[in-house]
Amino acid sequence: ELKVEQNPLFLSMQEGKNYTIYCNYSTTSDRLYWYRQDPGKSLESLFVLLSNGAVKQEGRLMASLDTKARLSTLHITAAVHDLSATYFCAVDPGEATNKLIFGTGTLLAVQP
Amino acid sequence: NAGVTQTPKFRILKIGQSMTLQCTQDMNHNYMYWYRQDPGMGLKLIYYSVGAGITDKGEVPNGYNVSRSTTEDFPLRLELAAPSQTSVYFCASSPTRGYTFGSGTRLTVV
């Protein structure tokens, strides 16, 4: 059974600081997604990482994928309050059903 | 372009009642999914469909049923609601890779 673990589960950080969220998964996959969820809202797609070594950046967020280590990271640079949300990674195990297996999420709170 | 539409947005059910959560997409996507999200948790797959007439169970299917008579619609049926089904339910659709999510249905069973 594919397991997807994120850490930390909760992250409180100050504005201007840098931090990294980690997403580990237990089986082979070369396709990983990052989503953002604001309180009471749906999930918004942030990044799709399609191969080993893939790196995507959007504003203060940068995501990377290491398929050999079964690890993806979401790096936050110079955090601002607007980045406060819950971040999920989701792994595509490569089945024809196109199912995604989600991590438990990281609740990010950026303090002024 | 509506994307994925879920109704209702909120619902309170009494124990033992039944209801159907509606999900409609207008993007002609073959793949559709139902997930539930419990407080502070990730999403768990309930049921999915790879095309009209084809459905299958996900991780947590007990207490739910689905049907897929058309490409557009993928309703989720709750029979004999239980407090453990209190959750937020998300429907999603996909062409081949990547999901588009609906806005969710917040269900409380009392």
Side-chain angles (χ1 to χ4, degrees):
Chain A
E1 179 188 347
L2 171 59
K3 293 191 183 296
V4 182
E5 295 183 344
Q6 286 182 238
N7 68 83
L9 298 182
F10 177 70
L11 177 56
S12 179
M13 55 190 300
Q14 289 184 317
E15 282 190 328
K17 299 292 187 182
N18 304 333
Y19 210 83
T20 301
I21 299 170
Y22 298 88
C23 174
N24 292 273
Y25 53 97
S26 62
T27 193
T28 302
S29 175
D30 61 359
R31 197 178 298 262
L32 188 139
Y33 300 79
W34 284 96
Y35 290 89
R36 168 181 172 146
Q37 185 181 38
D38 292 311
K41 302 294 185 182
S42 188
L43 282 78
E44 172 191 355
S45 179
L46 292 175
F47 300 109
V48 180
L49 303 169
L50 300 177
S51 62
N52 186 42
V55 178
K56 294 280 186 73
Q57 182 162 6
E58 179 73 31
R60 301 174 187 273
L61 300 177
M62 183 174 71
S64 66
L65 179 62
D66 182 343
T67 58
K68 294 177 182 176
R70 300 179 184 174
L71 171 69
S72 180
T73 60
L74 181 65
H75 186 73
I76 303 152
T77 301
V80 294
H81 180 69
D82 285 352
L83 289 179
S84 297
T86 299
Y87 293 85
F88 292 95
C89 64
V91 176
D92 181 345
E95 300 170 0
T97 56
N98 200 23
K99 293 183 290 185
L100 291 184
I101 309 300
F102 283 80
T104 50
T106 296
L107 175 58
L108 173 66
V110 181
Q111 312 295 339
Chain B
N1 188 359
V4 179
T5 302
Q6 289 185 240
T7 57
K9 293 191 182 304
F10 303 93
R11 182 73 183 268
I12 299 175
L13 276 183
K14 293 184 178 179
I15 294 171
Q17 287 185 321
S18 300
M19 76 164 294
T20 299
L21 282 65
Q22 301 291 344
C23 177
T24 299
Q25 53 98 1
D26 62 359
M27 298 170 286
N28 202 33
H29 288 172
N30 284 326
Y31 301 88
M32 295 188 75
Y33 308 86
W34 275 105
Y35 285 86
R36 60 176 286 173
Q37 183 181 29
D38 297 326
M41 302 293 286
L43 278 70
K44 299 290 186 185
L45 182 63
I46 306 171
Y47 270 95
Y48 65 96
S49 170
V50 300
I54 306 170
T55 63
D56 206 347
K57 297 177 181 178
E59 297 174 80
V60 289
N62 292 343
Y64 307 95
N65 278 299
V66 293
S67 60
R68 184 94 182 272
S69 57
T70 66
T71 299
E72 295 78 20
D73 299 309
F74 190 40
L76 178 70
R77 179 81 177 163
L78 278 72
E79 303 283 1
L80 299 175
S84 61
Q85 294 178 304
T86 294
S87 191
V88 180
Y89 291 83
F90 288 103
C91 178
S93 73
S94 175
T96 52
R97 299 296 185 197
Y99 285 12
T100 298
F101 281 92
S103 58
T105 295
R106 187 173 298 272
L107 175 67
T108 302
V109 181
V110 296

